[in-house]
Amino acid sequence: MANANLTFKTNYAVSSKIEPFYKGGKVQISKDEKYIFCTCGSRVNVLEISTGKIVHSVEHEDQEDITSFALSCDDEMLVTASRALLLKQWDWRQANCTRSWRAIHTVPVASMTFDSTSTLLATGGCDGTIKIWDVVKQYCTHNLKGSSGVVHLVQFHPDISRLQLFSSSLDCGIRLWDLRSSQCVCVLQSHYSAVTSLSFSPDGDTMVSSGRDKICTVWDLKTRKAKRTVPVYEAVEGVVLLPVNTDLSQIGVKSEDLHFVTAGSKGVLRVWEASTARCVYTQTLSTVPEEEEENDDDNPRSLTYLFLLPASSRLATVTAEHNILLYQLPGLTTQQQFVGYSDEVLDVKFLGKGDSHIVVATNSCQLKVFELLTNSCQILYGHTDTVLTLDVFKKGSLFASCAKDRSVRVWQMDSDSGQVRCVAQGFSHTNAVGSIAFSRMKASFIVTGSQDCTVKVWDLPDDISITGEDIHQLSPRATEKAHDKDVNSVAVSPNDKLLASGSQDRTAKLWSLTADGTISLLGVFRGHRRGVWAVCFSPVDQVLVTSSADGTTKLWSLQDFSCLKTFEGHDASVLKVVFVSRGTQLLTSGSDGLVKLWTIKTNECVKTLDAHQDKVWGLHGSRKDDKMVTGSADSTITIWEDVTEVELAEEQAKQEDQILKQQELSNLLHEKKYLKALGLAISLDHPHTVLRVIKAIREVENSHELLEKTLLKLRVDQKESLLRYCVVWNTNAKNCQDAQAVLQVLLTHLPPEELLQYQGTRTHLEGLIPYTERHMKRIGNLLQASMFLNYMWQKMRVAGAPSGLVDEEMDMTPLTKTQPFFVSDKEREKDGGEDRREDRRDAGDDSDSEQEEDPNCAQDEEEADDTSATKKASTNGGHVGNGENSNGSHDSESEESSEEEEEPQAAVKMTTCLPVSSAPQCQTFAS
């Protein structure tokens, strides 16, 4: 097989990743227009516009989702709010938290904004209150009450001398707050649905508001009245006023009157003249399916944010599918597009000259073409349902796609501009089209396989590459009922004469492609125990490789259809398989999230790559065979490069060094050399490893003294790291006791002057306070609940214990005549039945006679039962009373037992009649 002198690949290293950076929520653009800030779960990611890379990321240590954030107008401060009701101030360029404090809100913060001086911060909460914070002097200046429900919008008037704040909540009114008097001076009523954005004129006297009630309102802030209501006929999410004294005639601005731009559910930008309420310009988009035009509520192009970038004369929008688009004024031409979240990646292929781009099919009806250098993305519209798979012609400028909408499309990339457009489409299948393959020698046909169990061959026109606006309509030249179940994969041989298909019916089939356009069956490959996911021809040999849901990959001979080799190693379905190294090696990807590199000759797995957390649906090698790309259901796209032996050796050396240090740490813990173990763990900078050492110290005898002795011997930089780790541990209730034990030592023995010299000490302590209070409250509640449980258990011992139940500490010595007749079941089991009957009869007689002799001992029946049960539960072999036995000697064992049995939280008074030498006496005591 192939060239014996060929050097096999041994490893791939991650070159770059395209990961989700925005999953919904707030978006803000810096004042210098270089960065985009957006939320992604518990992080705020900072995207550099020029490169499309995530250059900074700040994340709350408690992993709580960030509900809102705000960037100061001078681009220096970033403040975030999380569900843990913590506000954090960040030096975002260093990803360093400089301060944290508790929000006074009782529920999460929904909106935040800075004033133009970057001094005041306003936070609107879900509790209907607004707080104003002085971030320089670090205190709360205002607490504004009166809003109804969630305050989802807060915005300062741009003229700070007015000291005005605008807000909106669930009542759809716009409240104007005077910060001098802390009063709401008026409520601007016009909207009947949520107010989404506000925009102010340069002089500050005019304001435009937008709402989901499909109107925009122009306000005169001098009179505080609505000057005009503009019907927009779509739910509006963003509005911005266009700059004056700028030539914007290309978008319909022909007068000096006030004009504004709206963005909403229809997914297009519109320019409106405020004085006449007239739409003077509507943005034109590429072909939009009729279904999307009719249904605005579920339009993937609907816009959720709109920003004006005045310095660069651009507009920025955010779509409902988490895409960020930048348009250049005055023509509103698309400049850049960034994809914040791609959902599941179903297929991915290299594209363009020198594999400069990748085309991606995600769990949506749009295709995405990424430029690898800048991560800028083109979003291709055309399909009306989820795109399932792709294939690229070998020259890299043509590619084909198929989807659940039963259609196939052919796309072409312009080699100069990089723009992609649809050049051909076909509709003939009766069910979802799940596989597609290009011809190999010349772009003359494509082959598709569908869930309708058929395989179709489509001829491509010769002039398909000629530039034109018309889309060619394709029709199949041949259709064949190929399998009994879904056709999952199709492949064309290197000479364009053979076709392979793999199906859910567990078989793969080989077909001949004749010149007259017919398809004829040549043979069937049987051997897989479950459905076949992928088929692929070798580029040099007459063999076919298949991968299956049974976890195996098989190599087949095209001569006799026999299985030559079976590769086993994946724990789940093998979803994709491709040849590399000129047909001498295989790459497989599975639903276990792994990518494996196999050498065919030795039938062994050379390398297992673990870079994904979910199914790896996409797998493709570059034309130069030096890179590969994978796409996963975890929404991540990974670019891999074939690494040299030197790089591999360095990587292995690092891994071996980590293993040796971990082994050394285990040995030190086994030898109880805790100081060295703790120092080594801190040097690794792994908080979890350090916690492991702390837990080991706290498990030994005299742990407090040992922990104190060990921590105080650490260097200053090690103590500083330990304090930082405590902040992380303290966020988890499972580890809070270890964190508090370390903190107790540090705060008790280190002077405040030394602690304040540690980097970020104030931030660390402020972060510790709210979680410590939360842990104290939780432990207090647990303690209170345990006391109640203890009380209930004690009452059950007293009142409801069975007659045979006796405390484990009860004295089982034989009774004497001077002892009260309380006999345990264990003693009764030792005696015969006759003795037990006699004891009970004697006990009953004595009891009755004693009760009759002293009327002061008389109690009702319920009290007598309680007394008897209590005495069983609390006395020790009947040695109770005044502490004297029949000989008059003091019973010390009885006193000790009574002290041990004391339960101060569940004290119960008991009265018993004790036999003494003369007459029975009543004794009252507490148990």
Side-chain angles (χ1 to χ4, degrees), residues 131 165 221 233 281 422 592 883 896 899 915:
K131 318 291 182 188
L165 177 75
L221 295 183
Y233 307 110
Y281 177 82
C422 180
D592 52 8
E896 292 175 0
E899 290 175 0

Side-chain angles (χ1 to χ4, degrees), residues 6-281:
L6 182 68
T7 302
F8 292 144
K9 299 183 187 302
T10 56
N11 190 27
Y12 284 90
V14 176
S15 171
S16 62
K17 283 189 175 184
I18 300 176
E19 298 179 287
F21 64 84
Y22 173 58
K23 295 183 178 180
K26 186 175 179 179
V27 175
Q28 188 173 345
I29 299 178
S30 61
K31 191 79 170 181
D32 59 13
E33 302 177 7
K34 293 181 179 179
Y35 303 99
I36 299 174
F37 292 74
C38 45
T39 54
C40 186
S42 61
R43 302 193 308 273
V44 172
N45 290 320
V46 184
L47 179 78
E48 189 175 28
I49 295 177
S50 60
T51 64
K53 307 289 185 182
I54 299 297
V55 293
H56 304 289
S57 182
V58 301
E59 182 173 13
H60 280 226
E61 295 169 341
D62 53 13
Q63 302 294 313
E64 293 279 1
D65 282 353
I66 291 176
T67 58
S68 187
F69 72 89
L71 178 69
S72 61
C73 294
D74 57 8
D75 293 343
E76 293 299 322
M77 283 183 293
L78 177 70
V79 177
T80 59
S82 72
R83 292 191 179 277
L85 305 182
L86 276 181
L87 295 175
K88 286 182 177 287
Q89 182 177 318
W90 301 84
D91 177 3
W92 56 270
R93 290 183 175 88
Q94 304 297 326
N96 180 35
C97 179
T98 58
R99 179 182 169 231
S100 63
W101 70 97
R102 291 189 66 181
I104 311 176
H105 296 280
T106 57
V107 287
V109 174
S111 55
M112 301 173 67
T113 189
F114 273 95
D115 74 335
S116 57
T117 66
S118 302
T119 302
L120 298 179
L121 171 71
T123 59
C126 297
D127 55 4
T129 64
I130 302 170
K131 318 291 182 188
I132 311 294
W133 308 84
D134 188 322
V135 293
V136 177
K137 298 180 180 179
Q138 301 181 359
Y139 70 99
C140 181
T141 62
H142 298 75
N143 184 17
L144 308 178
K145 299 180 180 180
S147 302
S148 59
V150 177
V151 181
H152 57 264
L153 175 66
V154 287
Q155 192 164 338
F156 285 97
H157 192 284
D159 184 1
I160 192 60
S161 63
R162 301 193 186 191
L163 282 177
Q164 292 178 341
L165 177 75
F166 295 82
S167 70
S168 183
S169 58
L170 292 181
D171 60 5
C172 308
I174 303 173
R175 282 179 166 76
L176 173 57
W177 303 87
D178 182 1
L179 300 184
R180 291 184 177 88
S181 61
S182 298
Q183 298 296 321
C184 176
V185 294
C186 70
V187 180
L188 307 179
Q189 297 284 1
S190 172
H191 293 277
Y192 296 94
S193 187
V195 178
T196 53
S197 67
L198 306 175
S199 184
F200 296 88
S201 62
D203 60 9
D205 293 333
T206 303
M207 180 183 74
V208 179
S209 62
S210 65
R212 296 196 181 110
D213 51 5
K214 303 184 178 183
I215 64 169
C216 289
T217 304
V218 183
W219 302 90
D220 186 343
L221 295 183
K222 290 182 177 180
T223 62
R224 298 169 185 170
K225 301 292 183 182
K227 294 199 298 185
R228 182 171 292 277
T229 298
V230 181
V232 184
Y233 307 110
E234 66 172 331
V236 186
E237 296 292 338
V239 61
V240 296
L241 284 165
L242 286 173
V244 295
N245 302 324
T246 304
D247 183 13
L248 299 175
S249 58
Q250 293 186 40
I251 53 175
V253 179
K254 303 293 178 63
S255 66
E256 295 182 358
D257 291 341
L258 205 62
H259 290 74
F260 59 89
V261 183
T262 60
S265 59
K266 291 186 181 295
V268 296
L269 298 178
R270 297 184 182 186
V271 180
W272 302 82
E273 190 174 39
S275 59
T276 62
R278 197 166 49 88
C279 179
V280 297
Y281 177 82

Side-chain angles (χ1 to χ4, degrees), residues 289-307:
E290 294 181 1
E291 292 86 344
E292 291 184 5
E293 290 182 345
E294 295 175 358
N295 185 10
D296 291 342
D297 296 335
D298 196 24
N299 185 0
R301 294 193 182 193
S302 63
L303 304 176
T304 57
Y305 286 95
L306 175 64
F307 306 98

